[in-house]
Amino acid sequence: MEVFLYFFFGYVFALIGVIPPGLLNMTAAKISMKENRRNAFLFSLGVITIVGIQTNIALIFARYLDKHPEVIDMLQQVGLGIFICITIYFLFIAKEKKTPSQPIANKSKRHRFFQGLLLASLNLFPLPYWVYLSITFSSFGWFDFSKTFITYCVAGSIVGTLTMLIAYAHYFNYAKKKKQKIKLNINYMIGGITALISVITLFKILKDM
């Protein structure tokens, strides 16, 4: 049962991290639309290979930080400020931006896999994302830095990321038709999630004062 919870933790927060339209998920969607879903899937396999490595590095680093409370306190305060700014942006500022569509040339399967590796390597978001989440939830006793927890959490993050990339690739045409409404809902969803994390972090900071 505990193993399932470890996996579920990684899966859910990986889904949340990949929900916002970004370089990786939108590239998977465009490859699916311009070429085929198989190439989009191979691109996604390249992405999750790097995501797994990044998540593992982040959690190992977070385990080190967990043994240094003075550093954690500073990171929580910085993280709180960042999440508050993100909440304000997605709830009140974010608007749809029209970007010209650019055709994607048909590439080989091997090229798409390595393209996924490259783009995911350039995307460093998972590193601070998992460090901050794991440290925050660990402070409440909801996250364990044991080897088993980290292993299954990484596995969950890989599957969660792949799930969302496939969802983008599969439903992109529908999402394109409902683009404005879906983008608005995503903005509110992200804003709500970051607001909740901000409240949890603020509560923890006040409790430790």
Side-chain angles (χ1 to χ4, degrees), residues 5-38:
L5 291 177
Y6 300 164
F7 180 87
F8 184 73
F9 182 93
Y11 182 84
V12 169
F13 282 101
L15 279 180
I16 294 173
V18 192
I19 284 177
L23 176 64
L24 299 179
N25 45 32
M26 294 306 295
T27 299
K30 289 179 180 179
I31 291 174
S32 175
M33 185 176 68
K34 300 291 184 180
E35 299 175 19
N36 53 64
R37 291 178 183 172
R38 178 177 295 180

PDB file of all heavy atoms in Angstrom, residues 5-38:
ATOM      1  N   LEU A   5       1.268   4.499  -2.710  1.00  0.00           N
ATOM      2  CA  LEU A   5       1.186   5.912  -2.346  1.00  0.00           C
ATOM      3  C   LEU A   5       2.413   6.677  -2.836  1.00  0.00           C
ATOM      4  O   LEU A   5       2.306   7.816  -3.285  1.00  0.00           O
ATOM      5  CB  LEU A   5       1.052   6.053  -0.825  1.00  0.00           C
ATOM      6  CG  LEU A   5      -0.270   5.566  -0.222  1.00  0.00           C
ATOM      7  CD1 LEU A   5      -0.239   5.696   1.294  1.00  0.00           C
ATOM      8  CD2 LEU A   5      -1.452   6.350  -0.796  1.00  0.00           C
ATOM      9  N   TYR A   6       3.593   6.052  -2.747  1.00  0.00           N
ATOM     10  CA  TYR A   6       4.811   6.681  -3.245  1.00  0.00           C
ATOM     11  C   TYR A   6       4.683   6.955  -4.746  1.00  0.00           C
ATOM     12  O   TYR A   6       5.005   8.039  -5.229  1.00  0.00           O
ATOM     13  CB  TYR A   6       6.031   5.778  -3.012  1.00  0.00           C
ATOM     14  CG  TYR A   6       6.313   5.436  -1.570  1.00  0.00           C
ATOM     15  CD1 TYR A   6       7.159   4.374  -1.243  1.00  0.00           C
ATOM     16  CD2 TYR A   6       5.753   6.166  -0.530  1.00  0.00           C
ATOM     17  CE1 TYR A   6       7.430   4.050   0.081  1.00  0.00           C
ATOM     18  CE2 TYR A   6       6.030   5.849   0.790  1.00  0.00           C
ATOM     19  CZ  TYR A   6       6.857   4.784   1.092  1.00  0.00           C
ATOM     20  OH  TYR A   6       7.125   4.468   2.394  1.00  0.00           O
ATOM     21  N   PHE A   7       4.221   5.928  -5.460  1.00  0.00           N
ATOM     22  CA  PHE A   7       4.056   6.045  -6.908  1.00  0.00           C
ATOM     23  C   PHE A   7       2.989   7.093  -7.245  1.00  0.00           C
ATOM     24  O   PHE A   7       3.178   7.916  -8.145  1.00  0.00           O
ATOM     25  CB  PHE A   7       3.645   4.688  -7.492  1.00  0.00           C
ATOM     26  CG  PHE A   7       3.439   4.698  -8.986  1.00  0.00           C
ATOM     27  CD1 PHE A   7       4.499   4.477  -9.850  1.00  0.00           C
ATOM     28  CD2 PHE A   7       2.181   4.920  -9.517  1.00  0.00           C
ATOM     29  CE1 PHE A   7       4.318   4.486 -11.224  1.00  0.00           C
ATOM     30  CE2 PHE A   7       1.982   4.934 -10.887  1.00  0.00           C
ATOM     31  CZ  PHE A   7       3.057   4.707 -11.742  1.00  0.00           C
ATOM     32  N   PHE A   8       1.892   7.066  -6.496  1.00  0.00           N
ATOM     33  CA  PHE A   8       0.782   7.989  -6.739  1.00  0.00           C
ATOM     34  C   PHE A   8       1.221   9.431  -6.518  1.00  0.00           C
ATOM     35  O   PHE A   8       0.820  10.338  -7.262  1.00  0.00           O
ATOM     36  CB  PHE A   8      -0.381   7.639  -5.807  1.00  0.00           C
ATOM     37  CG  PHE A   8      -1.622   8.470  -6.041  1.00  0.00           C
ATOM     38  CD1 PHE A   8      -2.412   8.272  -7.158  1.00  0.00           C
ATOM     39  CD2 PHE A   8      -1.990   9.457  -5.129  1.00  0.00           C
ATOM     40  CE1 PHE A   8      -3.546   9.036  -7.371  1.00  0.00           C
ATOM     41  CE2 PHE A   8      -3.121  10.227  -5.334  1.00  0.00           C
ATOM     42  CZ  PHE A   8      -3.897  10.010  -6.462  1.00  0.00           C
ATOM     43  N   PHE A   9       2.038   9.665  -5.513  1.00  0.00           N
ATOM     44  CA  PHE A   9       2.552  11.006  -5.227  1.00  0.00           C
ATOM     45  C   PHE A   9       3.323  11.540  -6.433  1.00  0.00           C
ATOM     46  O   PHE A   9       3.096  12.662  -6.896  1.00  0.00           O
ATOM     47  CB  PHE A   9       3.453  10.968  -3.995  1.00  0.00           C
ATOM     48  CG  PHE A   9       3.996  12.306  -3.584  1.00  0.00           C
ATOM     49  CD1 PHE A   9       3.330  13.087  -2.651  1.00  0.00           C
ATOM     50  CD2 PHE A   9       5.179  12.795  -4.121  1.00  0.00           C
ATOM     51  CE1 PHE A   9       3.824  14.334  -2.275  1.00  0.00           C
ATOM     52  CE2 PHE A   9       5.692  14.024  -3.747  1.00  0.00           C
ATOM     53  CZ  PHE A   9       5.007  14.796  -2.823  1.00  0.00           C
ATOM     54  N   GLY A  10       4.248  10.726  -6.933  1.00  0.00           N
ATOM     55  CA  GLY A  10       5.030  11.150  -8.090  1.00  0.00           C
ATOM     56  C   GLY A  10       4.173  11.339  -9.319  1.00  0.00           C
ATOM     57  O   GLY A  10       4.374  12.286 -10.093  1.00  0.00           O
ATOM     58  N   TYR A  11       3.197  10.447  -9.500  1.00  0.00           N
ATOM     59  CA  TYR A  11       2.328  10.499 -10.683  1.00  0.00           C
ATOM     60  C   TYR A  11       1.486  11.776 -10.708  1.00  0.00           C
ATOM     61  O   TYR A  11       1.437  12.491 -11.716  1.00  0.00           O
ATOM     62  CB  TYR A  11       1.413   9.275 -10.691  1.00  0.00           C
ATOM     63  CG  TYR A  11       0.497   9.198 -11.894  1.00  0.00           C
ATOM     64  CD1 TYR A  11       0.949   8.649 -13.091  1.00  0.00           C
ATOM     65  CD2 TYR A  11      -0.818   9.660 -11.825  1.00  0.00           C
ATOM     66  CE1 TYR A  11       0.115   8.569 -14.193  1.00  0.00           C
ATOM     67  CE2 TYR A  11      -1.652   9.586 -12.922  1.00  0.00           C
ATOM     68  CZ  TYR A  11      -1.184   9.041 -14.103  1.00  0.00           C
ATOM     69  OH  TYR A  11      -2.018   8.987 -15.192  1.00  0.00           O
ATOM     70  N   VAL A  12       0.839  12.065  -9.596  1.00  0.00           N
ATOM     71  CA  VAL A  12      -0.067  13.221  -9.532  1.00  0.00           C
ATOM     72  C   VAL A  12       0.682  14.533  -9.729  1.00  0.00           C
ATOM     73  O   VAL A  12       0.267  15.387 -10.528  1.00  0.00           O
ATOM     74  CB  VAL A  12      -0.826  13.240  -8.188  1.00  0.00           C
ATOM     75  CG1 VAL A  12      -1.561  14.565  -8.009  1.00  0.00           C
ATOM     76  CG2 VAL A  12      -1.809  12.087  -8.122  1.00  0.00           C
ATOM     77  N   PHE A  13       1.796  14.701  -9.045  1.00  0.00           N
ATOM     78  CA  PHE A  13       2.507  15.972  -9.143  1.00  0.00           C
ATOM     79  C   PHE A  13       3.258  16.115 -10.464  1.00  0.00           C
ATOM     80  O   PHE A  13       3.523  17.230 -10.911  1.00  0.00           O
ATOM     81  CB  PHE A  13       3.437  16.165  -7.947  1.00  0.00           C
ATOM     82  CG  PHE A  13       2.706  16.593  -6.712  1.00  0.00           C
ATOM     83  CD1 PHE A  13       2.397  15.692  -5.716  1.00  0.00           C
ATOM     84  CD2 PHE A  13       2.272  17.904  -6.575  1.00  0.00           C
ATOM     85  CE1 PHE A  13       1.687  16.086  -4.583  1.00  0.00           C
ATOM     86  CE2 PHE A  13       1.573  18.317  -5.450  1.00  0.00           C
ATOM     87  CZ  PHE A  13       1.280  17.405  -4.452  1.00  0.00           C
ATOM     88  N   ALA A  14       3.577  14.997 -11.104  1.00  0.00           N
ATOM     89  CA  ALA A  14       4.137  15.080 -12.456  1.00  0.00           C
ATOM     90  C   ALA A  14       3.059  15.548 -13.428  1.00  0.00           C
ATOM     91  O   ALA A  14       3.314  16.381 -14.306  1.00  0.00           O
ATOM     92  CB  ALA A  14       4.690  13.722 -12.880  1.00  0.00           C
ATOM     93  N   LEU A  15       1.843  15.025 -13.277  1.00  0.00           N
ATOM     94  CA  LEU A  15       0.718  15.473 -14.110  1.00  0.00           C
ATOM     95  C   LEU A  15       0.515  16.972 -13.968  1.00  0.00           C
ATOM     96  O   LEU A  15       0.367  17.699 -14.962  1.00  0.00           O
ATOM     97  CB  LEU A  15      -0.567  14.740 -13.713  1.00  0.00           C
ATOM     98  CG  LEU A  15      -0.803  13.333 -14.262  1.00  0.00           C
ATOM     99  CD1 LEU A  15      -2.125  12.798 -13.738  1.00  0.00           C
ATOM    100  CD2 LEU A  15      -0.807  13.327 -15.778  1.00  0.00           C
ATOM    101  N   ILE A  16       0.498  17.431 -12.728  1.00  0.00           N
ATOM    102  CA  ILE A  16       0.292  18.856 -12.463  1.00  0.00           C
ATOM    103  C   ILE A  16       1.386  19.696 -13.111  1.00  0.00           C
ATOM    104  O   ILE A  16       1.130  20.751 -13.692  1.00  0.00           O
ATOM    105  CB  ILE A  16       0.245  19.118 -10.944  1.00  0.00           C
ATOM    106  CG1 ILE A  16      -0.986  18.444 -10.333  1.00  0.00           C
ATOM    107  CG2 ILE A  16       0.245  20.616 -10.651  1.00  0.00           C
ATOM    108  CD1 ILE A  16      -1.031  18.495  -8.814  1.00  0.00           C
ATOM    109  N   GLY A  17       2.627  19.207 -13.029  1.00  0.00           N
ATOM    110  CA  GLY A  17       3.751  19.957 -13.572  1.00  0.00           C
ATOM    111  C   GLY A  17       3.743  20.072 -15.082  1.00  0.00           C
ATOM    112  O   GLY A  17       4.313  21.009 -15.645  1.00  0.00           O
ATOM    113  N   VAL A  18       3.083  19.118 -15.760  1.00  0.00           N
ATOM    114  CA  VAL A  18       3.094  19.111 -17.232  1.00  0.00           C
ATOM    115  C   VAL A  18       1.774  19.606 -17.818  1.00  0.00           C
ATOM    116  O   VAL A  18       1.635  19.723 -19.026  1.00  0.00           O
ATOM    117  CB  VAL A  18       3.405  17.688 -17.754  1.00  0.00           C
ATOM    118  CG1 VAL A  18       3.705  17.694 -19.251  1.00  0.00           C
ATOM    119  CG2 VAL A  18       4.610  17.099 -17.034  1.00  0.00           C
ATOM    120  N   ILE A  19       0.795  19.931 -16.965  1.00  0.00           N
ATOM    121  CA  ILE A  19      -0.490  20.426 -17.468  1.00  0.00           C
ATOM    122  C   ILE A  19      -0.356  21.731 -18.253  1.00  0.00           C
ATOM    123  O   ILE A  19      -0.933  21.868 -19.330  1.00  0.00           O
ATOM    124  CB  ILE A  19      -1.491  20.607 -16.300  1.00  0.00           C
ATOM    125  CG1 ILE A  19      -2.025  19.252 -15.842  1.00  0.00           C
ATOM    126  CG2 ILE A  19      -2.667  21.491 -16.736  1.00  0.00           C
ATOM    127  CD1 ILE A  19      -2.953  19.340 -14.653  1.00  0.00           C
ATOM    128  N   PRO A  20       0.406  22.711 -17.761  1.00  0.00           N
ATOM    129  CA  PRO A  20       0.473  23.984 -18.499  1.00  0.00           C
ATOM    130  C   PRO A  20       1.066  23.793 -19.886  1.00  0.00           C
ATOM    131  O   PRO A  20       2.052  23.064 -20.049  1.00  0.00           O
ATOM    132  CB  PRO A  20       1.417  24.840 -17.627  1.00  0.00           C
ATOM    133  CG  PRO A  20       1.399  24.203 -16.285  1.00  0.00           C
ATOM    134  CD  PRO A  20       1.187  22.748 -16.513  1.00  0.00           C
ATOM    135  N   PRO A  21       0.465  24.400 -20.910  1.00  0.00           N
ATOM    136  CA  PRO A  21       1.033  24.302 -22.265  1.00  0.00           C
ATOM    137  C   PRO A  21       2.454  24.841 -22.286  1.00  0.00           C
ATOM    138  O   PRO A  21       2.703  25.972 -21.880  1.00  0.00           O
ATOM    139  CB  PRO A  21       0.089  25.189 -23.100  1.00  0.00           C
ATOM    140  CG  PRO A  21      -1.180  25.241 -22.323  1.00  0.00           C
ATOM    141  CD  PRO A  21      -0.774  25.185 -20.881  1.00  0.00           C
ATOM    142  N   GLY A  22       3.380  24.030 -22.715  1.00  0.00           N
ATOM    143  CA  GLY A  22       4.776  24.438 -22.756  1.00  0.00           C
ATOM    144  C   GLY A  22       5.487  23.822 -23.941  1.00  0.00           C
ATOM    145  O   GLY A  22       4.872  23.203 -24.813  1.00  0.00           O
ATOM    146  N   LEU A  23       6.788  23.969 -23.971  1.00  0.00           N
ATOM    147  CA  LEU A  23       7.582  23.501 -25.102  1.00  0.00           C
ATOM    148  C   LEU A  23       7.438  22.001 -25.323  1.00  0.00           C
ATOM    149  O   LEU A  23       7.236  21.546 -26.458  1.00  0.00           O
ATOM    150  CB  LEU A  23       9.056  23.853 -24.871  1.00  0.00           C
ATOM    151  CG  LEU A  23      10.044  23.354 -25.932  1.00  0.00           C
ATOM    152  CD1 LEU A  23       9.755  23.995 -27.275  1.00  0.00           C
ATOM    153  CD2 LEU A  23      11.472  23.632 -25.500  1.00  0.00           C
ATOM    154  N   LEU A  24       7.503  21.214 -24.256  1.00  0.00           N
ATOM    155  CA  LEU A  24       7.514  19.765 -24.403  1.00  0.00           C
ATOM    156  C   LEU A  24       6.159  19.211 -24.830  1.00  0.00           C
ATOM    157  O   LEU A  24       6.064  18.462 -25.804  1.00  0.00           O
ATOM    158  CB  LEU A  24       7.959  19.117 -23.088  1.00  0.00           C
ATOM    159  CG  LEU A  24       9.362  19.481 -22.605  1.00  0.00           C
ATOM    160  CD1 LEU A  24       9.679  18.790 -21.287  1.00  0.00           C
ATOM    161  CD2 LEU A  24      10.409  19.110 -23.654  1.00  0.00           C
ATOM    162  N   ASN A  25       5.101  19.568 -24.084  1.00  0.00           N
ATOM    163  CA  ASN A  25       3.802  18.997 -24.429  1.00  0.00           C
ATOM    164  C   ASN A  25       3.246  19.529 -25.751  1.00  0.00           C
ATOM    165  O   ASN A  25       2.598  18.802 -26.504  1.00  0.00           O
ATOM    166  CB  ASN A  25       2.789  19.184 -23.288  1.00  0.00           C
ATOM    167  CG  ASN A  25       2.813  20.569 -22.708  1.00  0.00           C
ATOM    168  OD1 ASN A  25       3.076  21.545 -23.404  1.00  0.00           O
ATOM    169  ND2 ASN A  25       2.550  20.675 -21.409  1.00  0.00           N
ATOM    170  N   MET A  26       3.508  20.791 -26.056  1.00  0.00           N
ATOM    171  CA  MET A  26       3.020  21.340 -27.311  1.00  0.00           C
ATOM    172  C   MET A  26       3.803  20.784 -28.506  1.00  0.00           C
ATOM    173  O   MET A  26       3.247  20.609 -29.598  1.00  0.00           O
ATOM    174  CB  MET A  26       3.101  22.869 -27.297  1.00  0.00           C
ATOM    175  CG  MET A  26       2.171  23.524 -26.297  1.00  0.00           C
ATOM    176  SD  MET A  26       0.435  23.000 -26.475  1.00  0.00           S
ATOM    177  CE  MET A  26       0.036  23.638 -28.099  1.00  0.00           C
ATOM    178  N   THR A  27       5.091  20.487 -28.301  1.00  0.00           N
ATOM    179  CA  THR A  27       5.861  19.857 -29.371  1.00  0.00           C
ATOM    180  C   THR A  27       5.340  18.455 -29.646  1.00  0.00           C
ATOM    181  O   THR A  27       5.191  18.044 -30.806  1.00  0.00           O
ATOM    182  CB  THR A  27       7.360  19.783 -29.000  1.00  0.00           C
ATOM    183  OG1 THR A  27       7.864  21.104 -28.803  1.00  0.00           O
ATOM    184  CG2 THR A  27       8.158  19.110 -30.106  1.00  0.00           C
ATOM    185  N   ALA A  28       5.033  17.705 -28.575  1.00  0.00           N
ATOM    186  CA  ALA A  28       4.454  16.368 -28.742  1.00  0.00           C
ATOM    187  C   ALA A  28       3.130  16.450 -29.497  1.00  0.00           C
ATOM    188  O   ALA A  28       2.856  15.628 -30.383  1.00  0.00           O
ATOM    189  CB  ALA A  28       4.254  15.712 -27.379  1.00  0.00           C
ATOM    190  N   ALA A  29       2.324  17.453 -29.162  1.00  0.00           N
ATOM    191  CA  ALA A  29       1.031  17.619 -29.822  1.00  0.00           C
ATOM    192  C   ALA A  29       1.197  17.954 -31.302  1.00  0.00           C
ATOM    193  O   ALA A  29       0.495  17.411 -32.168  1.00  0.00           O
ATOM    194  CB  ALA A  29       0.235  18.721 -29.117  1.00  0.00           C
ATOM    195  N   LYS A  30       2.134  18.843 -31.624  1.00  0.00           N
ATOM    196  CA  LYS A  30       2.341  19.243 -33.015  1.00  0.00           C
ATOM    197  C   LYS A  30       2.923  18.108 -33.850  1.00  0.00           C
ATOM    198  O   LYS A  30       2.573  17.953 -35.028  1.00  0.00           O
ATOM    199  CB  LYS A  30       3.250  20.472 -33.057  1.00  0.00           C
ATOM    200  CG  LYS A  30       2.581  21.738 -32.554  1.00  0.00           C
ATOM    201  CD  LYS A  30       3.518  22.937 -32.587  1.00  0.00           C
ATOM    202  CE  LYS A  30       2.818  24.189 -32.064  1.00  0.00           C
ATOM    203  NZ  LYS A  30       3.708  25.374 -32.065  1.00  0.00           N
ATOM    204  N   ILE A  31       3.807  17.322 -33.248  1.00  0.00           N
ATOM    205  CA  ILE A  31       4.352  16.170 -33.970  1.00  0.00           C
ATOM    206  C   ILE A  31       3.233  15.187 -34.289  1.00  0.00           C
ATOM    207  O   ILE A  31       3.161  14.631 -35.392  1.00  0.00           O
ATOM    208  CB  ILE A  31       5.454  15.476 -33.137  1.00  0.00           C
ATOM    209  CG1 ILE A  31       6.682  16.373 -33.030  1.00  0.00           C
ATOM    210  CG2 ILE A  31       5.839  14.136 -33.760  1.00  0.00           C
ATOM    211  CD1 ILE A  31       7.762  15.829 -32.116  1.00  0.00           C
ATOM    212  N   SER A  32       2.347  14.982 -33.332  1.00  0.00           N
ATOM    213  CA  SER A  32       1.218  14.084 -33.545  1.00  0.00           C
ATOM    214  C   SER A  32       0.318  14.579 -34.669  1.00  0.00           C
ATOM    215  O   SER A  32      -0.145  13.805 -35.507  1.00  0.00           O
ATOM    216  CB  SER A  32       0.407  13.948 -32.248  1.00  0.00           C
ATOM    217  OG  SER A  32      -0.748  13.169 -32.449  1.00  0.00           O
ATOM    218  N   MET A  33       0.082  15.880 -34.711  1.00  0.00           N
ATOM    219  CA  MET A  33      -0.827  16.453 -35.703  1.00  0.00           C
ATOM    220  C   MET A  33      -0.187  16.502 -37.091  1.00  0.00           C
ATOM    221  O   MET A  33      -0.822  16.168 -38.088  1.00  0.00           O
ATOM    222  CB  MET A  33      -1.244  17.856 -35.276  1.00  0.00           C
ATOM    223  CG  MET A  33      -2.298  18.480 -36.191  1.00  0.00           C
ATOM    224  SD  MET A  33      -2.846  20.098 -35.602  1.00  0.00           S
ATOM    225  CE  MET A  33      -1.350  21.065 -35.839  1.00  0.00           C
ATOM    226  N   LYS A  34       1.102  16.897 -37.158  1.00  0.00           N
ATOM    227  CA  LYS A  34       1.774  17.062 -38.440  1.00  0.00           C
ATOM    228  C   LYS A  34       2.300  15.745 -39.003  1.00  0.00           C
ATOM    229  O   LYS A  34       2.414  15.578 -40.211  1.00  0.00           O
ATOM    230  CB  LYS A  34       2.937  18.050 -38.303  1.00  0.00           C
ATOM    231  CG  LYS A  34       2.515  19.447 -37.849  1.00  0.00           C
ATOM    232  CD  LYS A  34       1.722  20.158 -38.924  1.00  0.00           C
ATOM    233  CE  LYS A  34       1.402  21.579 -38.471  1.00  0.00           C
ATOM    234  NZ  LYS A  34       0.624  22.315 -39.501  1.00  0.00           N
ATOM    235  N   GLU A  35       2.663  14.806 -38.113  1.00  0.00           N
ATOM    236  CA  GLU A  35       3.240  13.543 -38.563  1.00  0.00           C
ATOM    237  C   GLU A  35       2.325  12.387 -38.167  1.00  0.00           C
ATOM    238  O   GLU A  35       1.408  12.053 -38.888  1.00  0.00           O
ATOM    239  CB  GLU A  35       4.645  13.387 -37.976  1.00  0.00           C
ATOM    240  CG  GLU A  35       5.607  14.489 -38.409  1.00  0.00           C
ATOM    241  CD  GLU A  35       6.966  14.395 -37.731  1.00  0.00           C
ATOM    242  OE1 GLU A  35       7.313  13.308 -37.211  1.00  0.00           O
ATOM    243  OE2 GLU A  35       7.682  15.418 -37.718  1.00  0.00           O
ATOM    244  N   ASN A  36       2.595  11.802 -37.015  1.00  0.00           N
ATOM    245  CA  ASN A  36       1.746  10.716 -36.525  1.00  0.00           C
ATOM    246  C   ASN A  36       1.976  10.532 -35.031  1.00  0.00           C
ATOM    247  O   ASN A  36       2.926  11.079 -34.460  1.00  0.00           O
ATOM    248  CB  ASN A  36       2.037   9.404 -37.263  1.00  0.00           C
ATOM    249  CG  ASN A  36       3.521   9.049 -37.241  1.00  0.00           C
ATOM    250  OD1 ASN A  36       4.094   8.804 -36.180  1.00  0.00           O
ATOM    251  ND2 ASN A  36       4.152   9.034 -38.417  1.00  0.00           N
ATOM    252  N   ARG A  37       1.105   9.774 -34.399  1.00  0.00           N
ATOM    253  CA  ARG A  37       1.173   9.594 -32.961  1.00  0.00           C
ATOM    254  C   ARG A  37       2.378   8.748 -32.544  1.00  0.00           C
ATOM    255  O   ARG A  37       2.880   8.876 -31.430  1.00  0.00           O
ATOM    256  CB  ARG A  37      -0.115   8.960 -32.448  1.00  0.00           C
ATOM    257  CG  ARG A  37      -1.314   9.894 -32.539  1.00  0.00           C
ATOM    258  CD  ARG A  37      -2.580   9.231 -32.072  1.00  0.00           C
ATOM    259  NE  ARG A  37      -3.726  10.118 -32.231  1.00  0.00           N
ATOM    260  CZ  ARG A  37      -4.985   9.742 -32.039  1.00  0.00           C
ATOM    261  NH1 ARG A  37      -5.248   8.491 -31.679  1.00  0.00           N
ATOM    262  NH2 ARG A  37      -5.971  10.609 -32.204  1.00  0.00           N
ATOM    263  N   ARG A  38       2.827   7.875 -33.447  1.00  0.00           N
ATOM    264  CA  ARG A  38       3.985   7.048 -33.113  1.00  0.00           C
ATOM    265  C   ARG A  38       5.231   7.912 -32.904  1.00  0.00           C
ATOM    266  O   ARG A  38       5.977   7.713 -31.945  1.00  0.00           O
ATOM    267  CB  ARG A  38       4.247   6.026 -34.227  1.00  0.00           C
ATOM    268  CG  ARG A  38       5.479   5.151 -33.965  1.00  0.00           C
ATOM    269  CD  ARG A  38       5.662   4.117 -35.042  1.00  0.00           C
ATOM    270  NE  ARG A  38       4.560   3.164 -35.042  1.00  0.00           N
ATOM    271  CZ  ARG A  38       4.465   2.143 -35.891  1.00  0.00           C
ATOM    272  NH1 ARG A  38       5.403   1.974 -36.823  1.00  0.00           N
ATOM    273  NH2 ARG A  38       3.456   1.308 -35.831  1.00  0.00           N
TER     274      ARG A  38
END
